[in-house]
Amino acid sequence: MNTNKFTISWGDFSRYRSSMFGLSIIGIMVFHYFEHIRSAHLLLKSEQFWDYYIGSTGGDFLLFLSGMGLFYSLTKNDDICQFYKKRLVRILPAYLFVSMPFFAWRDFIHLHTGILTFIRDLLFLNFIDHADTTYWFIFFIIVMYCKYNIHFDIWLPLPYWIRLTNSLWAFPLMIIGLYLCKLINFTKFLQGFVKISGALSLELYLAHVSARIFLTAHHMSLYILWQYLVMIGLSYLGSFILKWMENKIQGQLLPLSRKK
């Protein structure tokens, strides 16, 4: 047996980065399924392990991986303007493509709350003062993007052992994630599926959250596994469409920015 399959090196963190993003977003979707089961008061003892001991770990892992990406991005290129431009081009088109039709449906058709609520939803104001957590993750990472260069300037001069100590909590997750990625590589289909999920992690999150709320509002019982899987399939379809739309927009905007 090839023992290299079960050894870990620092290079693996970069080599399997996309796969670890994929495991994170898949973990989030599994967690949401258990949320639906709990809401229907159908959580069995055999299912409580995931709900109680794993839970939203996928979201924590996703944030840590995003933070690693920000750190290495600023380490390679300390141009703050380019740093923020790259982040905004990555997140804002995806967010607006999904949130505008979603909030238009919810505020004008489903809840009839009107234009003011629609604007407040888009600007995350209802998250701040009414705890509307629909796209809380997007708001959170935008805030983290805005303040990250301050943290970077504070933490980088500190001794290495201090920075390492503050990240120790994540290393067990990283090691488990890497071993899972290596095991997944034995199966071509799973390897491709996880990598695609990682490459579409932002789009998949947005499509998944939106489809979940929309289908629940239309009386779909997402605690039933086959119905939840239908929703997951629609989320992947939506994420592919969203990625195609992003590429079209970025393909038009990037040449203009180069001319300027």
Side-chain angles (χ1 to χ4, degrees):
M1 182 179 291
N2 186 1
T3 57
N4 289 332
K5 293 285 186 181
F6 300 99
T7 58
I8 288 177
S9 65
W10 283 109
D12 288 334
F13 288 98
S14 175
R15 189 175 303 114
Y16 293 103
R17 183 172 177 269
S18 181
S19 295
M20 287 192 288
F21 268 103
L23 289 175
S24 299
I25 192 65
I26 291 170
I28 290 171
M29 292 188 290
V30 173
F31 169 68
H32 286 165
Y33 175 63
F34 284 104
E35 277 193 330
H36 286 290
I37 293 178
R38 193 192 314 115
S39 298
H41 306 290
L42 296 173
L43 192 65
L44 304 176
K45 287 186 177 180
S46 59
E47 296 163 335
Q48 289 177 354
F49 175 81
W50 184 286
D51 191 57
Y52 292 157
Y53 297 103
I54 300 178
S56 60
T57 303
D60 302 333
F61 198 23
L62 191 64
L63 288 172
F64 183 78
L65 291 170
S66 299
M68 283 184 61
L70 295 179
F71 176 81
Y72 286 114
S73 178
L74 268 181
T75 303
K76 290 180 180 179
N77 183 1
D78 60 358
D79 187 333
I80 297 298
C81 291
Q82 284 298 319
F83 174 82
Y84 283 121
K85 182 179 178 181
K86 186 177 179 180
R87 260 81 226 164
L88 290 176
V89 169
R90 173 74 180 100
I91 195 170
L92 284 184
Y95 169 68
L96 292 175
F97 277 142
V98 175
S99 63
M100 290 183 72
F102 174 80
F103 286 134
W105 161 77
R106 193 179 74 172
D107 296 331
F108 296 120
I109 300 172
H110 182 56
L111 298 179
H112 305 285
T113 48
I115 184 67
L116 182 60
T117 302
F118 175 76
I119 295 172
R120 288 176 58 84
D121 281 336
L122 281 179
L123 298 177
F124 301 105
L125 297 178
N126 284 331
F127 168 73
I128 295 171
D129 59 9
H130 288 92
D132 181 350
T133 58
T134 303
Y135 298 116
W136 73 269
F137 185 80
I138 303 298
F139 176 76
F140 181 81
I141 57 177
I142 288 175
V143 172
M144 291 300 103
Y145 286 166
C146 291
K147 59 188 291 192
Y148 188 80
N149 68 306
I150 300 173
H151 289 285
F152 184 84
D153 291 338
I154 293 173
W155 281 99
L156 193 61
L158 294 177
Y160 181 76
W161 68 269
I162 293 179
R163 290 184 278 133
L164 183 64
T165 302
N166 280 270
S167 302
L168 284 178
W169 66 270
F171 277 96
L173 287 178
M174 297 290 286
I175 292 171
I176 292 171
L178 284 175
Y179 273 116
L180 285 174
C181 291
K182 285 176 173 284
L183 288 172
I184 285 168
N185 277 352
F186 285 113
T187 306
K188 292 287 186 181
F189 172 77
L190 284 179
Q191 180 185 7
F193 177 73
V194 171
K195 281 187 175 181
I196 289 172
S197 300
L200 296 170
S201 56
L202 173 62
E203 293 80 10
L204 193 51
Y205 165 79
L206 288 164
H208 167 69
V209 169
S210 305
R212 186 183 175 211
I213 296 172
F214 180 81
L215 294 176
T216 300
H218 286 80
H219 311 293
M220 199 165 180
S221 301
L222 296 183
Y223 60 86
I224 300 173
L225 181 58
W226 75 264
Q227 295 193 28
Y228 194 80
L229 290 176
V230 168
M231 185 273 294
I232 293 295
L234 292 174
S235 299
Y236 273 93
L237 177 62
S239 67
F240 279 111
I241 296 172
L242 180 57
K243 189 67 175 179
W244 177 80
M245 293 170 65
E246 286 180 72
N247 290 338
K248 284 288 186 180
I249 291 295
Q250 291 171 5
Q252 293 176 358
L253 292 179
L254 290 177
L256 291 175
S257 63
R258 292 193 189 103
K259 290 178 182 179
K260 293 179 181 179

